[in-house]
Amino acid sequence: MSSPPATPQRNDEPTPAGVREDLDLTIFIACFNEEKRVVPTLETVRAALAELPLTYEVIVVDDGSTDCTGAVVEEFARANPAMPVRLHRNPRNLGLSRSFVDTAFRGRGRHYRLVCGDNVEPKESMLKILRALGTADIIIPYYPVLPGKSRLRKIISRLYTRIVDLLGGYRIRYYNGCALYRRYHVMRWASYNYGFGFQAHLITTLLDEGATYSQVPLEGFHLTKDRGSPLNLRNFLSTGHTLCEIFIRRIRRELYGN
């Protein structure tokens, strides 16, 4: 799998003054009504990072939960003072994209990764992607097999990936996994997109800017939640907007070289 032209030594790109990077890694755990799953997620993160020589922090965002997610995280943090866990409560449900960008600004790590609070990623998969830290600007996971995902969702996911590749001019296997980024790149280039297209927007933007990438196969499983169908007008509109932006950037890149 060939990568697009990349700026030499992009991994050594200096971080601007004023951006704090005194840790190796910031983990953002996104939660909406995850009181039963967030502690197993935290335990998985702790077990994985115990095997790596990395300094890190964990920022859990309670995105307007109506259950006891926040209280459960606070109790875990009190009971485990050696693990650097912070809780942020959004005043209301702001959505994953907004929380993803906001949390990047709250962090102190050089690298940044989203971990979903529903504990769908095993420790071995987490280790595999974190061990690739520093080898490229973006470590992009993909899932050769994803148990629990319906046939319709698999078809839609493949179709979406092919459309993004066609419009953006790249060959990425999967855009909606929890990639590993330089935190400053998220702060600099991520936008407040709505819907699940925000990672495709960010990844293609970074590739347009010359970022290097590596794709890593992982194991995981899909957890279906009772939150309504993702096939709704709001998601279609937000995804359509993202796809239009990706295509417009490709036209600009090919016409003007930037």
Side-chain angles (χ1 to χ4, degrees):
M1 185 68 61
S2 60
S3 67
T7 303
Q9 297 183 335
R10 181 64 185 260
N11 290 320
D12 298 325
E13 179 189 18
T15 303
V19 177
R20 190 175 177 183
E21 289 185 341
D22 49 359
L23 298 171
D24 296 317
L25 176 67
T26 294
I27 293 286
F28 156 45
I29 298 182
C31 292
F32 178 69
N33 292 340
E34 298 292 1
E35 65 177 2
K36 296 180 180 179
R37 301 184 184 95
V38 64
V39 168
T41 303
L42 287 162
E43 295 285 9
T44 300
V45 169
R46 177 166 61 180
L49 285 163
E51 299 187 22
L52 298 171
L54 300 175
T55 56
Y56 73 96
E57 63 180 345
V58 177
I59 304 177
V60 181
V61 175
D62 180 358
D63 193 20
S65 297
T66 57
D67 65 1
C68 297
T69 294
V72 168
V73 173
E74 288 177 333
E75 176 58 32
F76 179 89
R78 285 193 295 268
N80 299 274
M83 185 177 179
V85 178
R86 285 191 282 151
L87 172 67
H88 176 82
R89 297 176 187 260
N90 285 341
R92 55 185 175 83
N93 185 264
L94 300 179
L96 182 57
S97 172
R98 174 70 179 266
S99 296
F100 180 77
V101 179
D102 287 350
T103 306
F105 281 87
R106 297 186 186 104
R108 298 186 292 133
R110 179 173 174 80
H111 302 274
Y112 182 66
R113 186 175 188 239
L114 160 68
V115 172
C116 296
D118 51 9
N119 198 38
V120 295
E121 185 177 58
K123 182 188 77 170
E124 292 73 21
S125 292
M126 199 173 295
L127 278 169
K128 192 171 183 179
I129 195 167
L130 291 178
R131 282 179 174 138
L133 183 149
T135 60
D137 294 315
I138 323 168
I139 310 300
I140 304 173
Y142 66 95
Y143 301 89
V145 178
L146 195 60
K149 199 168 191 177
S150 69
R151 185 169 182 271
L152 177 60
R153 293 288 296 272
K154 289 177 182 178
I155 292 171
I156 293 172
S157 179
R158 292 191 192 105
L159 178 62
Y160 172 74
T161 298
R162 289 177 182 175
I163 291 173
V164 175
D165 279 343
L166 177 65
L167 296 179
Y170 297 106
R171 296 180 65 190
I172 302 300
R173 291 176 179 267
Y174 189 59
Y175 285 96
N176 286 340
C178 297
L180 179 62
Y181 300 95
R182 280 280 306 277
R183 186 173 61 87
Y184 170 66
H185 291 169
V186 176
M187 296 166 65
R188 172 68 178 84
W189 296 109
S191 65
Y192 285 154
N193 281 347
Y194 292 93
F196 62 79
F198 77 96
Q199 294 221 68
H201 184 280
L202 176 57
I203 289 171
T204 54
T205 298
L206 290 174
L207 296 181
D208 288 348
E209 292 298 318
T212 58
Y213 73 94
S214 176
Q215 301 191 79
V216 178
L218 298 183
E219 293 182 2
F221 65 92
H222 180 78
L223 180 64
T224 301
K225 299 179 182 179
D226 187 18
R227 294 178 184 170
S229 172
L231 304 178
N232 55 58
L233 179 60
R234 180 176 178 179
N235 283 340
F236 276 118
L237 291 174
S238 66
T239 302
H241 179 263
T242 297
L243 295 176
C244 285
E245 287 194 332
I246 291 171
F247 186 51
I248 289 170
R249 277 193 278 106
R250 181 181 182 183
I251 293 173
R252 184 180 64 205
R253 184 175 77 243
E254 294 188 356
L255 288 177
Y256 304 108
N258 56 33

